[in-house]
Coordinates of all heavy atoms in Angstrom, one line a residue:
Chain B
D207 N -12.7 18.1 7.5 CA -12.8 17.8 6.0 C -11.6 18.4 5.3 O -11.1 19.5 5.7 CB -14.1 18.3 5.4 CG -15.3 17.7 5.9 OD1 -15.2 16.8 6.8 OD2 -16.4 18.0 5.5
K208 N -11.2 17.7 4.3 CA -10.2 18.3 3.4 C -10.6 18.0 2.0 O -10.8 16.9 1.6 CB -8.8 17.7 3.7 CG -7.7 18.2 2.8 CD -6.4 17.5 3.0 CE -5.3 18.0 2.1 NZ -4.0 17.3 2.3
E209 N -10.7 19.1 1.2 CA -11.2 18.9 -0.2 C -10.1 19.1 -1.2 O -9.2 20.0 -1.0 CB -12.3 20.0 -0.4 CG -13.0 19.8 -1.7 CD -14.2 20.8 -1.8 OE1 -14.9 21.0 -0.8 OE2 -14.3 21.5 -2.9
D210 N -10.1 18.3 -2.3 CA -9.1 18.4 -3.4 C -9.9 18.1 -4.6 O -10.0 16.9 -4.9 CB -7.9 17.5 -3.1 CG -6.9 17.7 -4.2 OD1 -7.1 18.5 -5.2 OD2 -5.9 17.0 -4.2
G211 N -10.4 19.1 -5.4 CA -11.1 18.8 -6.6 C -12.4 18.1 -6.3 O -13.2 18.5 -5.4
R212 N -12.6 16.9 -6.9 CA -13.8 16.2 -6.6 C -13.8 15.3 -5.4 O -14.7 14.6 -5.0 CB -14.1 15.3 -7.9 CG -14.5 16.0 -9.2 CD -14.9 15.1 -10.3 NE -13.8 14.2 -10.7 CZ -13.9 12.9 -10.5 NH1 -14.9 12.3 -9.9 NH2 -12.9 12.1 -10.9
F213 N -12.6 15.3 -4.8 CA -12.4 14.4 -3.6 C -12.4 15.2 -2.3 O -11.9 16.3 -2.2 CB -11.0 13.7 -3.7 CG -10.9 12.8 -4.9 CD1 -10.3 13.3 -6.1 CD2 -11.3 11.5 -4.9 CE1 -10.2 12.5 -7.2 CE2 -11.1 10.7 -6.0 CZ -10.6 11.2 -7.1
T214 N -13.1 14.6 -1.3 CA -13.1 15.1 0.0 C -12.8 14.0 1.0 O -13.4 13.0 1.0 CB -14.5 15.7 0.4 OG1 -14.8 16.8 -0.5 CG2 -14.4 16.3 1.8
A215 N -11.7 14.2 1.8 CA -11.4 13.3 2.9 C -12.0 13.8 4.2 O -11.9 15.1 4.4 CB -9.9 13.1 3.0
Q216 N -12.5 13.0 5.0 CA -13.0 13.3 6.3 C -12.4 12.5 7.4 O -12.2 11.3 7.2 CB -14.6 13.1 6.3 CG -15.3 14.0 5.2 CD -16.8 13.6 5.2 OE1 -17.2 12.5 5.2 NE2 -17.6 14.7 5.1
L217 N -12.1 13.1 8.5 CA -11.4 12.4 9.6 C -12.1 12.8 10.9 O -12.4 13.9 11.2 CB -10.0 12.9 9.7 CG -9.2 12.3 10.9 CD1 -9.1 10.8 10.9 CD2 -7.8 12.9 10.9
N218 N -12.4 11.7 11.7 CA -13.0 11.9 13.0 C -12.2 11.0 13.9 O -12.4 9.8 14.0 CB -14.4 11.4 13.0 CG -15.1 11.7 14.4 OD1 -14.5 11.5 15.4 ND2 -16.4 12.0 14.4
K219 N -11.2 11.6 14.6 CA -10.3 10.8 15.5 C -11.0 10.2 16.7 O -10.6 9.1 17.1 CB -9.1 11.7 15.9 CG -8.1 12.0 14.8 CD -6.9 12.7 15.3 CE -5.9 12.9 14.2 NZ -4.7 13.6 14.7
A220 N -12.0 10.9 17.2 CA -12.7 10.4 18.4 C -13.4 9.1 18.0 O -13.4 8.1 18.8 CB -13.7 11.4 18.9
S221 N -13.9 9.0 16.8 CA -14.6 7.8 16.4 C -13.7 6.8 15.6 O -14.1 5.8 15.2 CB -15.8 8.2 15.5 OG -16.7 9.0 16.2
Q222 N -12.4 7.3 15.4 CA -11.4 6.5 14.7 C -12.0 6.1 13.3 O -12.0 4.9 12.9 CB -11.0 5.2 15.5 CG -10.3 5.6 16.8 CD -10.0 4.5 17.7 OE1 -10.6 4.4 18.8 NE2 -9.2 3.6 17.3
Y223 N -12.4 7.1 12.6 CA -13.1 6.9 11.4 C -12.6 7.9 10.3 O -12.4 9.1 10.6 CB -14.6 7.2 11.7 CG -15.6 7.1 10.5 CD1 -16.2 5.9 10.2 CD2 -15.9 8.2 9.7 CE1 -17.1 5.8 9.2 CE2 -16.8 8.1 8.7 CZ -17.4 6.9 8.4 OH -18.3 6.8 7.4
V224 N -12.4 7.3 9.1 CA -11.9 8.1 8.0 C -12.8 7.8 6.8 O -13.2 6.7 6.6 CB -10.5 7.8 7.6 CG1 -9.9 8.8 6.6 CG2 -9.6 7.6 8.8
S225 N -13.1 8.8 6.0 CA -13.9 8.6 4.8 C -13.4 9.4 3.6 O -12.7 10.3 3.8 CB -15.4 8.9 5.1 OG -15.6 10.3 5.3
L226 N -13.8 8.9 2.5 CA -13.5 9.6 1.2 C -14.7 9.7 0.4 O -15.4 8.7 0.2 CB -12.4 8.8 0.4 CG -12.0 9.4 -0.9 CD1 -11.2 10.6 -0.7 CD2 -11.3 8.4 -1.8
L227 N -15.1 11.0 0.0 CA -16.2 11.2 -0.8 C -15.7 11.6 -2.2 O -14.7 12.4 -2.3 CB -17.0 12.4 -0.3 CG -17.6 12.2 1.1 CD1 -18.4 13.4 1.5 CD2 -18.5 11.0 1.2
I228 N -16.3 11.0 -3.2 CA -16.0 11.3 -4.6 C -17.2 11.9 -5.2 O -18.2 11.2 -5.4 CB -15.5 10.1 -5.4 CG1 -14.3 9.4 -4.7 CG2 -15.1 10.5 -6.8 CD1 -13.9 8.1 -5.3
R229 N -17.2 13.2 -5.5 CA -18.4 13.8 -6.2 C -18.3 13.7 -7.7 O -17.2 13.5 -8.3 CB -18.4 15.3 -5.8 CG -18.7 15.6 -4.4 CD -18.7 17.1 -4.1 NE -17.4 17.7 -4.4 CZ -16.4 17.7 -3.6 NH1 -16.5 17.1 -2.5 NH2 -15.2 18.3 -4.0
D230 N -19.5 13.7 -8.3 CA -19.6 13.6 -9.7 C -18.7 12.4 -10.2 O -17.9 12.6 -11.1 CB -19.1 14.9 -10.4 CG -19.3 14.9 -11.9 OD1 -20.2 14.2 -12.4 OD2 -18.6 15.7 -12.6
S231 N -19.0 11.3 -9.7 CA -18.2 10.1 -10.0 C -18.2 9.8 -11.5 O -19.3 9.9 -12.2 CB -18.8 8.8 -9.3 OG -18.7 9.0 -7.9
Q232 N -17.1 9.4 -12.0 CA -16.9 9.1 -13.4 C -16.5 7.6 -13.6 O -15.9 7.0 -12.7 CB -15.8 10.0 -14.0 CG -16.0 11.5 -13.9 CD -17.3 11.8 -14.7 OE1 -17.4 11.5 -15.9 NE2 -18.2 12.5 -14.0
P233 N -16.8 7.0 -14.7 CA -16.3 5.6 -14.9 C -14.8 5.4 -14.7 O -14.4 4.4 -14.3 CB -16.7 5.4 -16.4 CG -17.9 6.2 -16.6 CD -17.6 7.5 -15.8
S234 N -14.1 6.5 -15.0 CA -12.6 6.4 -14.7 C -12.2 6.3 -13.3 O -11.1 6.0 -12.9 CB -11.9 7.6 -15.4 OG -12.4 8.8 -14.9
D235 N -13.2 6.6 -12.4 CA -13.0 6.4 -10.9 C -13.1 5.0 -10.5 O -12.8 4.7 -9.3 CB -14.0 7.3 -10.1 CG -13.8 8.8 -10.4 OD1 -12.6 9.2 -10.6 OD2 -14.8 9.5 -10.4
S236 N -13.5 4.1 -11.4 CA -13.7 2.7 -11.0 C -12.3 2.1 -10.7 O -11.4 2.1 -11.6 CB -14.3 1.9 -12.2 OG -15.7 2.4 -12.4
A237 N -12.2 1.7 -9.5 CA -10.9 1.2 -9.0 C -11.1 0.7 -7.6 O -12.2 0.7 -7.0 CB -9.8 2.3 -9.0
T238 N -10.0 0.2 -7.0 CA -10.0 -0.2 -5.5 C -9.4 1.0 -4.8 O -8.3 1.4 -5.1 CB -9.3 -1.5 -5.3 OG1 -9.9 -2.6 -6.0 CG2 -9.2 -1.8 -3.8
Y239 N -10.1 1.4 -3.7 CA -9.6 2.5 -2.9 C -9.1 1.9 -1.5 O -9.9 1.3 -0.8 CB -10.7 3.5 -2.7 CG -11.0 4.3 -4.0 CD1 -11.8 3.7 -5.0 CD2 -10.4 5.5 -4.2 CE1 -11.9 4.3 -6.2 CE2 -10.6 6.2 -5.5 CZ -11.3 5.6 -6.4 OH -11.5 6.2 -7.6
L240 N -7.9 2.2 -1.3 CA -7.2 1.7 -0.1 C -7.0 2.8 1.0 O -6.5 3.9 0.7 CB -5.8 1.2 -0.4 CG -5.8 0.0 -1.4 CD1 -4.4 -0.1 -2.1 CD2 -6.1 -1.3 -0.8
C241 N -7.5 2.6 2.1 CA -7.3 3.5 3.3 C -6.0 3.0 4.0 O -5.8 1.8 4.1 CB -8.5 3.3 4.2 SG -8.4 4.2 5.8
A242 N -5.2 4.0 4.4 CA -4.0 3.6 5.0 C -3.7 4.6 6.2 O -4.1 5.8 6.1 CB -2.8 3.7 4.0
V243 N -3.0 4.1 7.2 CA -2.8 4.8 8.4 C -1.3 4.7 8.8 O -0.8 3.6 8.7 CB -3.7 4.2 9.5 CG1 -3.4 4.8 10.9 CG2 -5.2 4.4 9.2
T244 N -0.7 5.7 9.3 CA 0.7 5.6 9.7 C 0.7 5.4 11.3 O 0.1 6.1 12.0 CB 1.5 6.9 9.4 OG1 0.8 8.0 10.0 CG2 1.7 7.1 7.9
T245 N 1.6 4.4 11.6 CA 1.9 4.1 13.0 C 3.3 3.8 13.1 O 3.7 2.7 13.6 CB 1.0 2.9 13.5 OG1 1.3 1.8 12.7 CG2 -0.5 3.2 13.5
G246 N 4.2 4.6 12.5 CA 5.6 4.3 12.3 C 5.8 3.6 11.0 O 7.0 3.5 10.5

Side-chain angles (χ1 to χ4, degrees):
Chain B
D207 295 0
K208 179 182 178 182
E209 189 174 315
D210 183 2
R212 295 187 295 112
F213 297 94
T214 299
Q216 299 175 317
L217 173 61
N218 183 325
K219 288 187 178 181
S221 299
Q222 295 175 244
Y223 180 89
V224 193
S225 65
L226 179 70
L227 301 178
I228 306 175
R229 290 182 299 281
D230 188 24
S231 294
Q232 301 297 308
S234 59
D235 295 325
S236 297
T238 296
Y239 289 80
L240 299 161
C241 174
V243 173
T244 53
T245 57

